[in-house]
């Protein structure tokens, strides 16, 4: 490793307080996002709101297509922004208030339309509320992750900032779904007088408070330290740069193909809810893995010394497929009859997956940051907005694909929801529904996820090539800083 690159890594620009502020900000954002992610959104719209599965799947696909325009467009606007606060912070200062309101309205539908007899009215409300929530979430999410690169020119600083964000959000942000499954079991068993729709609405209100109290820290307590060019690139230029960024495009393709693995998250919700009929089982089954996952953050620096980011991603993909298949086979006789055996099997799976989940929360974000540096090295322009809009867009796109596909598969595998003569929502299942849900939870998604190995096999932004780019960019940024401050030459 070159001496120059060592210098870049050893300088620490970001203090503990700022790292903590960035981490707690992400926790405030993720608390609400987890209610929308994976199978919970599908479960909310189908079982709680009473909207047909096909209509929910179609809505997610339609608005997923909108995201292909919305996120990169927002990224291009951010890259053009030049203020004394930076180009990312202004958006982080503004967005918490409208996003908190949108979160409440998204989950208020079943209460607001409790007396509505028209399914069409519910579908219209679903489209509008989800569109508004998605719009404001994008305005906050793109600059937030762009900040993970702009916060410091040091790769080690960036790793610490990303790790802080993921670690703290894993603890605090993850509480929303932990509380939700307990509340759902209490409602289903008549322990308290709250309905499932009220459970979701209460947590949405808590999420709004978290957005105002914690997510706001990203705007108030973090700084942009990587110097931007004085020239404002056009939105069109931002898009052109994105398509010229080969490493970024490979990451996009890899993540889109990896969306198929996201089916596991959708069918996890339905497995605990409709096969085991015990939503809160996810708590004790996931507990060992959750604890180990937090400890894994301490192992990331050691793992990175042995493997580069590309190798880590490939190992992650392969191991998930192997472990998921073994768990599926081992549980074939017990998946709907023996909670104890299933709990042990899934605890082991989650324990192993927790290591890769933690790695996966940090490494891909770092890789996006590397592609920003790469394009700055090639063109002299930094495009955090467009590049990290890809991270948020791909995250939402893959989530939309998996949620839409998973929801569309429900009637195919014989799982539907209807109302009985008393107006109560009931579940209808076919002969092989439970087996299909088990397979779609444990192994099929990870086997399909092996397709994402193809683009990553062509990814070359690693090793000495990346070291050279970082060393050269250190020199360039120092010169640019002098020019921006008036201390450079007038060539």
């Amino acid at each position: 490793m070159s001496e120059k690159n060592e210098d870049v890594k050893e300088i620490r620009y970001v203090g503990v307080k700022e790292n903590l502020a960035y981490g707690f900000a992400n926790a405030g954002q993720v608390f609400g996002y987890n209610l929308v992610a994976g199978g919970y959104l599908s479960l909310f719209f189908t079982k709680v709101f009473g909207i047909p599965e096909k209509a929910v799947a179609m809505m997610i696909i339609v608005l997923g297509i909108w995201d292909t325009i919305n996120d990169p467009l927002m990224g291009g606007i951010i890259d053009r922004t030049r203020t004394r606060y930076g180009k990312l912070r202004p958006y982080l200062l503004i967005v918490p208030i409208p996003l908190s309101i949108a979160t409440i309205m998204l989950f208020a539908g079943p209460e607001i339309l409790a007396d509505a007899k028209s399914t069409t009215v519910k579908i219209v409300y679903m489209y509008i509320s989800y569109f508004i929530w998605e719009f404001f979430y994008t305005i906050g999410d793109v600059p937030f992750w762009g900040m993970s690169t702009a916060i410091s020119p040091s790769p080690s600083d960036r790793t610490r900032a990303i790790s802080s964000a993921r670690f703290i959000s894993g603890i605090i942000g993850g509480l929303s779904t932990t509380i939700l499954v307990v509340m759902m079991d209490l409602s289903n068993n008549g322990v308290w007088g709250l309905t499932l729709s009220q459970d979701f609405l209460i947590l949405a209100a808590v999420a709004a408070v978290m957005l105002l109290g914690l997510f706001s820290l990203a705007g108030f307590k973090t700084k942009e330290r990587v110097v931007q060019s004085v020239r404002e690139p056009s939105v069109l230029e931002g898009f052109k740069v994105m398509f010229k960024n080969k490493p970024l495009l490979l990451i996009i393709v890899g993540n889109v193909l990896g969306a198929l693995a996201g089916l596991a998250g959708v069918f996890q919700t339905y497995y605990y809810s409709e096969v085991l009929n015990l939503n809160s089982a996810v708590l004790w089954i996931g507990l060992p893995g959750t604890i180990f996952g937090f400890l894994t953050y301490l192992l990331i620096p050691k793992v990175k010394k042995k493997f580069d980011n590309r190798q880590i991603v490939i190992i992650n993909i392969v191991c998930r497929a192997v472990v998921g298949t073994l768990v599926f086979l081992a549980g074939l006789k017990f998946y709907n009859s023996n909670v104890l055996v299933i709990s042990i099997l899934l605890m082991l799976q989650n324990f192993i997956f927790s290591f890769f989940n933690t790695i996966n929360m940090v490494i891909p974000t770092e890789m996006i940051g590397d592609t920003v540096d790469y394009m700055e090295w090639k063109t002299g322009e930094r495009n955090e907005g467009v590049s990290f809009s890809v991270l948020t867009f791909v995250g939402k796109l893959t989530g939309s694909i998996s949620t839409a596909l998973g929801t569309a598969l429900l009637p195919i595998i014989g799982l539907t929801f209807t109302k009985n003569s008393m107006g109560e929502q009931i579940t209808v299942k076919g002969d092989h529904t439970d087996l299909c849900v088990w397979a779609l939870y444990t192994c099929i998604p990870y086997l399909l996820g092996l397709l994402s190995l193809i683009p990553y096999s062509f990814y070359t932004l690693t090793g000495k090539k990346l070291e050279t780019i970082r060393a050269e960019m250190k020199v360039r940024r120092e010169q640019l800083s002098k020019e921006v401050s008036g201390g450079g030459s007038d060539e």
Side-chain angles (χ1 to χ4, degrees):
M1 185 178 290
S2 68
E3 183 178 339
K4 288 184 179 180
N5 196 49
E6 285 287 354
D7 289 340
V8 172
K9 289 190 174 183
E10 288 176 0
I11 299 174
R12 183 165 184 171
Y13 299 89
V14 185
V16 175
K17 289 183 179 180
E18 189 173 353
N19 266 325
L20 288 174
Y22 192 67
F24 277 105
N26 193 39
Q29 179 194 38
V30 169
F31 189 94
Y33 176 76
N34 282 344
L35 297 176
V36 180
Y40 292 104
L41 183 67
S42 175
L43 186 73
F44 171 76
F45 281 137
T46 56
K47 187 175 183 177
V48 180
F49 207 172
I51 298 176
E53 293 84 0
K54 291 182 180 179
V56 175
M58 180 58 68
M59 182 276 294
I60 294 172
I61 290 173
V62 169
L63 293 187
I65 293 173
W66 157 245
D67 275 339
T68 63
I69 303 171
N70 177 40
D71 283 53
L73 180 62
M74 184 64 202
I77 293 172
I78 289 172
D79 283 331
R80 280 185 52 81
T81 303
R82 296 291 187 275
T83 74
R84 65 190 182 95
Y85 299 106
K87 72 178 187 181
L88 305 168
R89 287 183 63 208
Y91 300 97
L92 297 174
L93 290 167
I94 294 170
V95 79
I97 293 177
L99 181 57
S100 64
I101 296 172
T103 301
I104 292 175
M105 296 307 298
L106 176 64
F107 290 102
E111 294 297 310
I112 294 174
L113 300 177
D115 298 325
K117 296 181 180 180
S118 171
T119 301
T120 302
V121 172
K122 293 182 179 180
I123 292 173
V124 171
Y125 185 95
M126 174 181 66
Y127 268 89
I128 294 174
S129 62
Y130 188 66
F131 174 86
I132 294 173
W133 179 87
E134 187 71 47
F135 175 76
F136 285 114
Y137 185 83
T138 296
I139 294 176
D141 202 40
V142 173
F144 179 83
W145 289 112
M147 184 66 78
S148 70
T149 294
I151 200 169
S152 173
S154 166
S156 56
D157 268 344
R158 296 175 183 178
T159 299
R160 280 189 289 267
I162 296 168
S163 297
S164 174
R166 299 300 193 183
F167 178 79
I168 297 176
S169 67
I171 298 174
I172 298 177
L175 287 176
S176 60
T177 50
T178 299
I179 297 170
L180 175 62
V181 295
V182 174
M183 293 176 71
M184 289 173 67
D185 278 347
L186 293 174
S187 294
N188 287 333
N189 295 319
V191 177
W192 60 14
L194 296 177
T195 63
L196 290 177
S197 64
Q198 290 169 340
D199 294 337
F200 275 93
L201 183 56
I202 289 170
L203 282 177
V206 175
V209 174
M210 300 285 277
L211 283 164
L212 293 173
L214 294 181
F215 190 46
S216 298
L217 293 174
F220 286 106
K221 298 296 183 180
T222 60
K223 298 179 181 179
E224 297 177 40
R225 292 178 176 83
V226 178
V227 180
Q228 304 289 339
S229 63
V230 176
R231 190 182 74 86
E232 298 178 9
S234 68
V235 175
L236 182 60
E237 284 178 315
F239 278 91
K240 288 181 178 179
V241 168
M242 181 177 70
F243 286 107
K244 291 179 181 178
N245 193 334
K246 180 181 176 181
L248 180 62
L249 293 176
L250 289 172
I251 292 174
I252 294 172
V253 175
N255 283 334
V256 170
L257 293 175
L260 298 172
L263 283 170
V266 176
F267 282 95
Q268 170 185 289
T269 303
Y270 286 103
Y271 178 73
Y272 289 118
S273 174
E274 311 304 329
V275 178
L276 289 187
N277 195 29
L278 189 61
N279 292 283
S280 56
V282 70
L283 300 181
W284 69 73
I285 289 174
L287 183 59
T290 300
I291 295 172
F292 181 62
F294 292 139
L295 297 176
T296 303
Y297 283 97
L298 302 175
L299 302 177
I300 290 177
K302 294 182 179 180
V303 173
K304 287 174 64 65
K305 287 181 179 179
K306 293 183 177 293
F307 305 100
D308 61 42
N309 286 344
R310 171 180 169 273
Q311 291 169 331
I312 293 171
V313 169
I314 290 174
I315 293 171
N316 179 8
I317 295 168
V318 173
C319 287
R320 283 171 178 267
V322 172
V323 173
T325 301
L326 292 175
V327 169
F328 167 75
L329 295 174
L332 271 177
K333 295 182 179 180
F334 312 102
Y335 63 87
N336 62 354
S337 61
N338 194 320
V339 175
L340 178 61
V341 174
I342 286 300
S343 294
I344 294 172
L345 282 174
L346 292 178
M347 277 183 183
L348 289 172
Q349 182 191 50
N350 288 341
F351 186 82
I352 296 171
F353 277 12
S354 65
F355 173 79
F356 296 108
N357 288 341
T358 300
I359 296 294
N360 205 42
M361 296 293 279
V362 176
I363 300 304
T365 309
E366 277 193 12
M367 293 173 76
I368 297 288
D370 291 339
T371 68
V372 174
D373 290 343
Y374 169 72
M375 289 308 293
E376 182 185 9
W377 177 71
K378 285 189 66 175
T379 67
E381 300 284 349
R382 289 188 63 80
N383 301 94
E384 290 100 337
V386 169
S387 297
F388 278 92
S389 73
V390 171
L391 175 68
T392 60
F393 152 66
V394 170
K396 290 187 289 186
L397 176 63
T398 54
S400 296
I401 291 173
S402 58
T403 302
L405 181 58
T407 306
L409 285 173
L410 294 179
I412 296 175
I413 64 175
L415 180 60
T416 57
F417 302 99
T418 187
K419 289 186 177 181
N420 59 20
S421 57
M422 300 178 63
E424 298 171 332
Q425 198 83 358
I426 60 173
T427 302
V428 179
K429 294 194 288 187
D431 294 337
H432 303 291
T433 297
D434 287 355
L435 176 60
C436 291
V437 172
W438 174 245
L440 286 163
Y441 171 28
T442 55
C443 70
I444 291 177
Y446 302 114
L447 291 173
L448 293 173
L450 290 171
L451 291 170
S452 60
L453 291 172
I454 298 172
Y456 281 113
S457 65
F458 295 97
Y459 185 88
T460 60
L461 193 56
T462 58
K464 291 185 177 180
K465 179 178 181 179
L466 189 56
E467 291 174 14
T468 300
I469 291 172
R470 287 171 174 169
E472 292 183 9
M473 286 314 305
K474 180 189 177 185
V475 176
R476 288 193 202 177
R477 286 167 184 156
E478 289 174 350
Q479 180 60 34
L480 179 60
S481 180
K482 292 178 181 178
E483 293 174 1
V484 170
S485 63
S489 61
D490 297 321
E491 282 187 12

